[in-house]
Amino acid sequence: MQINLEIFSPVQQINHKVFAERDLSVFIKREDLIHPIISGNKWRKLKYLLKKAQAQNKTHLITFGGAFSNHLLATAGAGARFGFKTTGIVRGEEVNNDTLFMCRLHGMKLIFTDRDNYRDKPNLFNRFFGNDDQAMFIDEGGSSPEAAQGCSELVDELSETYDHIFAACGTGTMSAGIINGLTSHKLPTTFNGVPVFKNGGFIRNEIDKLLTTGTDYQLHTDYHFGGYGKANDELISFIKTFVAETGILIDPIYTGKMLYALYDLAAKDHFKPGSKILAIHSGGIWGLLGMKDRFD
Ligand SMILES: *Cc1c(COP(=O)(O)O)cnc(C)c1O
């Protein structure tokens, strides 16, 4: 089977007083529309890994994640779509939630493991699948050079030149891919990453490992809202307003924090008047379900 999705990821403008007053044009690339389950950057990150699995006659994808992992869900969806068996090794004690429900619905088998064992992923792979030569190891979040390569293709699709591109950073793989794409197209765009972890400065090392050339970029490390998966009332209220004003669903784990950073920096006159800015909606809207009780 041909491993491909037809990419629908339009760029649309976001109008807001904060931007208009400062003569900023802000756009959003709707990577969330690529697929409801194999969502946004997770499709970009999986694409070349799945092609590699196919080329090596691997029929069973083994991967890793927390109980709310967009990557587990995307792998489950991609496995179902392209004919692979999938197993997700989940960090922590056995639970059920909306994400894991949808993983199972797409045929993924789940193995729960305690946090100590979870750290050594190659060991877990060998323990359960060492004798299965059709099994392929895919790291947590899909992190790999193949994943960065897939993400760089997002830049190939841009028909305009922007002064800034904004994206959320988890592992930094998507950021590295976008920066590589900007470099290979010789674009003058500044990449701005918004780490969703506390003390997100470490992500610079992770990004730099995957860069094809030493390129400069910016990280805005003050928008983690207490850490990964954490939020406060201000972030929740920003998301409510954003969704109600634009009709674009965003999650509180990644895109919500990135857009909050963009609005906040604009309000603080961080950008030169006349700037053209593109935000990447990297998908993962089901992350909302993990926090729905916060939206009461
Ligand atoms: C996984 C994910 C990210 C983080 O991507 P990295 O390549 O790990 O930095 C960003 N946004 C969404 C919606 C995600 O699911």
Side-chain angles (χ1 to χ4, degrees), residues 5-295:
L5 288 180
E6 203 176 314
I7 297 289
F8 180 65
S9 172
V11 170
Q12 67 188 84
Q13 188 157 14
I14 313 177
N15 296 305
H16 194 278
K17 183 156 89 10
V18 170
F19 303 141
E21 283 170 0
R22 291 163 181 82
D23 190 24
L24 303 174
S25 333
V26 177
F27 301 84
I28 187 163
K29 183 162 168 59
R30 299 290 307 279
E31 298 275 293
D32 57 312
L33 297 180
I34 289 177
H35 191 279
I37 302 296
I38 320 169
S39 175
N41 79 351
K42 297 303 183 281
W43 160 247
R44 305 267 186 199
K45 292 171 81 172
L46 279 170
K47 177 177 165 188
Y48 288 104
L49 290 169
L50 299 182
K51 286 181 186 284
K52 182 167 142 188
Q54 190 178 52
Q56 297 179 350
N57 292 316
K58 306 283 188 190
T59 57
H60 187 179
L61 311 173
I62 318 298
T63 196
F64 303 82
F68 293 96
S69 164
N70 293 330
H71 165 70
L72 282 183
L73 180 56
T75 306
R81 172 76 171 71
F82 299 112
F84 296 94
K85 282 203 300 183
T86 54
T87 296
I89 301 188
V90 189
R91 182 182 63 231
E93 73 237 31
E94 181 151 1
V95 286
N96 205 358
N97 63 30
D98 296 320
T99 303
L100 297 176
F101 156 69
M102 286 204 287
C103 286
R104 288 196 181 94
L105 184 62
H106 287 83
M108 181 176 256
K109 296 271 182 312
L110 300 176
I111 299 174
F112 293 85
T113 184
D114 63 65
R115 279 151 208 273
D116 279 342
N117 281 312
Y118 184 81
R119 278 192 200 104
D120 191 349
K121 297 178 185 71
N123 180 48
L124 282 169
F125 178 83
N126 286 332
R127 167 143 48 111
F128 291 108
F129 304 101
N131 294 324
D132 180 353
D133 60 11
Q134 304 206 319
M136 182 161 111
F137 174 95
I138 298 180
D139 208 346
E140 186 174 40
S143 299
S144 55
E146 287 87 352
Q149 182 193 352
C151 292
S152 76
E153 293 183 351
L154 159 178
V155 180
D156 303 343
E157 294 162 19
L158 302 179
S159 51
E160 310 261 330
T161 303
Y162 300 90
D163 298 296
H164 294 275
I165 289 187
F166 269 74
C169 318
T171 63
T173 311
M174 166 174 58
S175 303
I178 295 173
I179 297 166
N180 288 339
L182 292 171
T183 310
S184 74
H185 288 276
K186 300 189 167 51
L187 290 169
T189 310
T190 302
F191 179 79
N192 294 257
V194 180
V196 301
F197 291 93
K198 213 188 251 182
N199 306 319
F202 75 89
I203 215 68
R204 195 170 276 280
N205 299 328
E206 302 306 312
I207 294 175
D208 288 350
K209 276 186 220 160
L210 293 167
L211 293 187
T212 46
T213 56
T215 312
D216 209 17
Y217 57 92
Q218 294 202 339
L219 289 180
H220 304 281
T221 54
D222 293 333
Y223 296 98
H224 55 76
F225 292 89
Y228 184 73
K230 302 258 164 62
N232 64 14
D233 292 346
E234 209 176 318
L235 178 63
I236 300 292
S237 129
F238 170 79
I239 291 171
K240 280 187 188 166
T241 309
F242 181 87
V243 175
E245 284 180 353
T246 63
I248 302 171
L249 275 179
I250 54 172
D251 75 297
I253 319 290
Y254 293 105
T255 306
K257 290 183 181 180
M258 180 275 293
L259 285 172
Y260 185 101
L262 173 53
Y263 278 68
D264 190 57
L265 289 164
K268 290 175 174 158
D269 298 317
H270 176 81
F271 304 106
K272 248 195 261 161
S275 296
K276 225 160 121 183
I277 303 166
L278 180 68
I280 306 297
H281 188 324
S282 39
I285 53 173
W286 303 116
L288 272 169
L289 298 180
M291 275 200 208
K292 54 184 187 274
D293 48 343
R294 298 285 301 272
F295 283 79

